[in-house]
Amino acid sequence: MLYLALSNASVYAPIMFAGSFLIAFLSIKLFMKVLPKDHGRDFAVNGQLSEGKPRGAGIIMITSFVLCAALFVPFTAETAIYMVLIYAAMLTGFFDDAAQKPWGELKKGLLDLVISIGVTVCFLMNNSTDINIFGYSFHIPVVIFALLSIILVWASINVTNCCDGVDGMCGTLSIVTLLLFILHGLPTTERVLSDILIMTLIAYLWFNSSPSKLLMGDAGSRALGVFLAIVSLRSGDPFLFIAFASMIIVDGGLGLLKLSCRRFLKMKSFMENIRTPLHDHWRKNLGVSDTQVVLRFAAIELVIGAALLYII
């Protein structure tokens, strides 16, 4: 492992950053041609523009991330389990991407629940249930913490997945979220893993920025959701996820809220004038371009996160 050979930080850091980017970049460039092709989405704004593009690039992106993590990060048992669960989320997304008929919501929801429980159990076996909120420490009973953690991971997977509908959006917003957590402060392992994932996402955005040449698909977005939740838990202040991933939550969460209210509460006219995900409302109803949507959502998320960091 390179982290054993490179004890000098001034040498280790540049190699880690450059190596993570190059491994991801070259892997995507080499293997993108073997990915399944997108069939287009009639229900999505400009969905026909995705037809024929390689889809499921998350399998390359997340595999590169895990390999780089093994090279540059000393794994504990806890970290290794997290990597397995992240990879499992990627595989469930990739098999859905590659399927001729998309998986049903129930099947995907149950798989997300299993992964959420796995992350929660692993965290509780290795960490306390003390959390910080605005500098104040609180102890949360294990049962309550477990329920909140499962909800956090499950929600993170799904809102991150829902916001992946515009070229460059999911990757850009995830980078902003990770940078905000890094600025707030993370344990060393999560800090380095976040650095590696940011480099991986930058390599992916090289090909995915508008107009994109390939799509991460559920394979990438679901795995990103798991990692963002893990970083949130390990930060010691999981409620920061609400601010640091604010536009991911709003963009993807409004669609989940709308669907839930209409399906389960029979509120058929709920949010009838708002197209979801919200990025489709901005593009179709407000006439905002793809690039403007990405930059404005990222700017809003950055401002909200930076303001909270200043308050803290």
Side-chain angles (χ1 to χ4, degrees):
M1 305 303 176
L2 289 181
Y3 60 84
L4 296 176
L6 303 172
S7 57
N8 189 329
S10 62
V11 177
Y12 168 83
I15 292 178
M16 184 267 290
F17 280 107
S20 299
F21 172 82
L22 288 174
I23 289 173
F25 180 87
L26 294 174
S27 297
I28 293 171
K29 190 173 182 63
L30 181 62
F31 294 110
M32 63 186 294
K33 293 181 180 180
V34 302
L35 293 171
K37 299 298 188 291
D38 193 84
H39 302 299
R41 293 161 291 171
D42 294 334
F43 60 87
V45 176
N46 297 332
Q48 70 280 2
L49 297 179
S50 299
E51 187 172 2
K53 292 181 181 179
R55 183 182 182 186
I59 191 171
I60 304 174
M61 186 176 72
I62 299 302
T63 299
S64 299
F65 165 65
V66 172
L67 289 176
C68 289
L71 280 173
F72 297 112
V73 180
F75 276 16
T76 62
E78 181 183 7
T79 304
I81 292 172
Y82 289 149
M83 291 295 105
V84 169
L85 291 168
I86 290 168
Y87 208 79
M90 180 276 293
L91 287 176
T92 62
F94 180 75
F95 290 139
D96 184 28
D97 290 334
Q100 289 296 320
K101 183 178 180 181
W103 289 0
E105 295 174 2
L106 178 61
K107 182 177 182 179
K108 291 190 287 188
L110 289 175
L111 289 170
D112 294 342
L113 180 61
V114 171
I115 292 170
S116 301
I117 293 172
V119 170
T120 298
V121 171
C122 181
F123 181 86
L124 290 176
M125 290 177 64
N126 295 277
N127 302 272
S128 73
T129 58
D130 294 333
I131 66 170
N132 293 308
I133 302 178
F134 293 103
Y136 296 95
S137 181
F138 297 89
H139 176 77
I140 298 181
V142 173
V143 174
I144 296 176
F145 189 97
L147 289 174
L148 292 175
S149 174
I150 291 170
I151 292 171
L152 168 64
V153 181
W154 189 92
S156 181
I157 294 171
N158 284 277
V159 296
T160 306
N161 181 44
C162 289
C163 87
D164 180 31
V166 182
D167 291 344
M169 173 170 282
C170 188
T172 300
L173 292 182
S174 295
I175 288 174
V176 172
T177 300
L178 291 173
L179 287 173
L180 288 168
F181 271 113
I182 289 171
L183 289 172
H184 173 260
L186 289 172
T188 302
T189 296
E190 281 67 35
R191 165 65 189 270
V192 178
L193 288 174
S194 296
D195 290 338
I196 292 171
L197 185 55
I198 287 172
M199 292 298 102
T200 303
L201 287 169
I202 291 174
Y204 164 72
L205 288 173
W206 186 281
F207 302 93
N208 182 248
S209 56
S210 183
S212 64
K213 293 182 179 180
L214 82 172
L215 311 170
M216 74 164 66
D218 288 2
S221 59
R222 290 182 179 278
L224 285 177
V226 176
F227 186 78
L228 293 179
I230 291 170
V231 166
S232 177
L233 289 168
R234 289 284 293 152
S235 72
D237 195 347
F239 286 99
L240 287 176
F241 181 81
I242 298 172
F244 290 174
S246 55
M247 292 311 297
I248 295 177
I249 295 171
V250 171
D251 187 41
L254 282 180
L256 295 175
L257 176 63
K258 181 177 180 179
L259 178 64
S260 299
C261 289
R262 290 189 169 195
R263 178 174 298 177
F264 301 114
L265 300 180
K266 308 303 179 183
M267 300 167 63
K268 299 300 182 182
S269 61
F270 183 74
M271 292 175 60
E272 63 179 352
N273 294 322
I274 299 178
R275 186 186 296 267
T276 56
L278 190 61
H279 60 249
D280 277 350
H281 183 85
W282 277 45
R283 292 193 292 171
K284 179 68 174 180
N285 297 48
L286 303 182
V288 180
S289 71
D290 288 3
T291 301
Q292 287 175 321
V293 169
V294 173
L295 292 177
R296 291 175 183 179
F297 275 35
I300 293 170
E301 184 169 281
L302 183 59
V303 168
I304 292 173
L308 182 60
L309 281 175
Y310 183 81
I311 293 171
I312 295 175

